[in-house]
Amino acid sequence: MTQLSRFSLTQRMEPLDRVGKEFFHWGLTENPFPITGTSLRFFMQKGQYLQAINAVSVVLRERQGLAAVYGEVGAGKSTTAKFLYDRIAITEGYKVAYVGNPSGTPSQVFSTIVREFGLDPVSNQVSRMQDQLQAFILEETQLKLNNIVLLIDEAQSLRKEALEYLRHLGNFERGEEKLLQVVLFGQTELIDIIKRRGNLWQRVITHSYLNKLGASEVMDLVNFRLQVVGGNVNVIFDEGALDAFVRYSDGIPRNICKIGFHALVLGAQKDESKISEHTIIQAVKLAGLD
């Protein structure tokens, strides 16, 4: 008997056409804790996230040039960046580009920027692409009166040469207004990287730090995500489970999603009426957070 045959006799494989039944057990229409590819419906527009969005929005509206949003790994920077992108993209008078992986050479980074603005790079030389971008920005801002915005995620990966080229683009201005608005999103070391480049640091108008969530904020986020898909935190989790959820997540949204996903699945498989503290502890182990 083959290993696969032996497995088939002793294990019951979950049928693919029943994926999602664990969430129906809790009265939910879908998984409220996707770990990757998070829908922006789950972006909680309050607290530090709303503060960061508002601070950046003022810089963009007033055309002041450069803003930074940074924080711990898993704190929600990328989701904040994507939310801001979607918000700008539907706003009349704005054109926006998003770069999510800027770790390549300056030529690769600038080629990506040019393409994200809907252009074909005229060359693989950074200086020529800079000229191309400046011509594009000038036409859009002067003739079409658009506000041009560039969002760069994982900006701590930018090489120093690329940062210097971006600084030069940031010098492109009209009177007291910058013609290109840049928002850098990155991990905590981003600010140290910018500070080491004094000329760039002086141009940062606002910098927002996304901190770990406090206990009440963790509960707000869990309940918000559940409500989006038809649930309620106090109906699904018992008190001990909620205390454990706060404790083991360490206030990191990515951890919250990992624990929440596994807890809902485990609780449904055990046919719990409410998720228990023991189930949260099991979920923490499955998430690799113990």
Side-chain angles (χ1 to χ4, degrees):
M1 185 180 290
T2 66
Q3 183 178 359
L4 179 59
S5 297
R6 288 197 301 271
F7 177 84
S8 299
L9 290 174
T10 58
Q11 301 286 335
R12 180 179 177 276
M13 185 175 292
E14 190 67 27
L16 292 177
D17 61 355
R18 295 183 64 190
V19 170
K21 75 180 191 304
E22 294 88 354
F23 307 112
F24 299 150
H25 173 86
W26 305 108
L28 307 178
T29 57
E30 63 182 281
N31 173 21
F33 299 111
I35 298 168
T36 60
T38 301
S39 168
L40 295 179
R41 291 179 299 128
F42 295 120
F43 182 75
M44 187 172 65
Q45 299 177 49
K46 63 183 297 186
Q48 62 181 352
Y49 302 107
L50 182 59
Q51 291 174 8
I53 291 292
N54 286 341
V56 170
S57 296
V58 172
V59 173
L60 302 184
R61 186 190 68 217
E62 299 301 321
R63 303 192 184 206
Q64 293 299 293
L66 183 60
V69 179
Y70 65 110
E72 303 288 338
V73 174
K77 300 178 299 298
S78 292
T79 305
T80 303
K82 291 171 183 175
F83 177 85
L84 186 62
Y85 174 86
D86 275 17
R87 184 184 186 192
I88 297 171
I90 62 173
T91 302
E92 186 177 357
Y94 283 79
K95 281 202 171 182
V96 58
Y98 173 87
V99 176
N101 183 19
S103 59
T105 65
S107 176
Q108 291 170 329
V109 171
F110 268 78
S111 177
T112 300
I113 293 172
V114 168
R115 293 183 189 280
E116 288 297 318
F117 277 122
L119 308 172
D120 291 323
V122 295
S123 168
N124 60 3
Q125 295 180 359
V126 175
S127 60
R128 292 197 62 192
M129 285 187 283
Q130 275 187 296
D131 291 341
Q132 183 182 11
L133 278 171
Q134 286 188 339
F136 165 76
I137 293 167
L138 191 61
E139 178 181 359
E140 289 291 330
T141 56
Q142 301 297 298
L143 298 181
K144 300 180 182 179
L145 303 180
N146 285 322
N147 196 342
I148 308 303
V149 180
L150 172 62
L151 309 179
I152 300 181
D153 198 8
E154 301 296 343
Q156 76 282 347
S157 300
L158 283 165
R159 300 183 185 184
K160 61 181 181 180
E161 297 88 354
L163 278 171
E164 186 63 18
Y165 286 129
L166 282 173
R167 185 182 71 81
H168 286 308
L169 276 179
N171 290 334
F172 202 32
E173 57 190 19
R174 177 188 60 199
E176 296 180 354
E177 293 182 343
K178 299 292 184 180
L179 298 187
L180 173 66
Q181 321 308 317
V182 180
V183 188
L184 303 176
F185 295 83
Q187 297 175 17
T188 51
E189 61 263 33
L190 173 64
I191 291 301
D192 291 332
I193 292 171
I194 297 175
K195 283 182 176 178
R196 287 197 294 269
R197 308 190 69 77
N199 288 336
L200 185 63
W201 174 246
Q202 292 172 7
R203 287 167 169 73
V204 178
I205 303 301
T206 184
H207 48 89
S208 302
Y209 179 66
L210 298 183
N211 208 341
K212 294 180 179 181
L213 302 180
S216 64
E217 293 172 313
V218 171
M219 288 299 92
D220 284 345
L221 181 57
V222 172
N223 197 40
F224 171 75
R225 283 174 168 267
L226 289 171
Q227 287 178 340
V228 169
V229 296
N232 183 281
V233 66
N234 293 313
V235 173
I236 296 175
F237 295 87
D238 69 24
E239 188 173 344
L242 292 176
D243 290 342
F245 208 146
V246 171
R247 186 166 67 252
Y248 286 106
S249 70
D250 197 30
I252 299 294
R254 187 174 299 165
N255 293 350
I256 292 169
C257 288
K258 288 181 178 181
I259 295 171
F261 170 78
H262 288 298
L264 290 175
V265 172
L266 286 170
Q269 290 172 348
K270 295 193 293 183
D271 199 28
E272 290 184 318
S273 58
K274 277 192 173 185
I275 292 173
S276 64
E277 180 177 358
H278 181 258
T279 297
I280 292 291
I281 293 172
Q282 288 180 299
V284 168
K285 291 180 179 179
L286 282 174
L289 298 173
D290 55 337

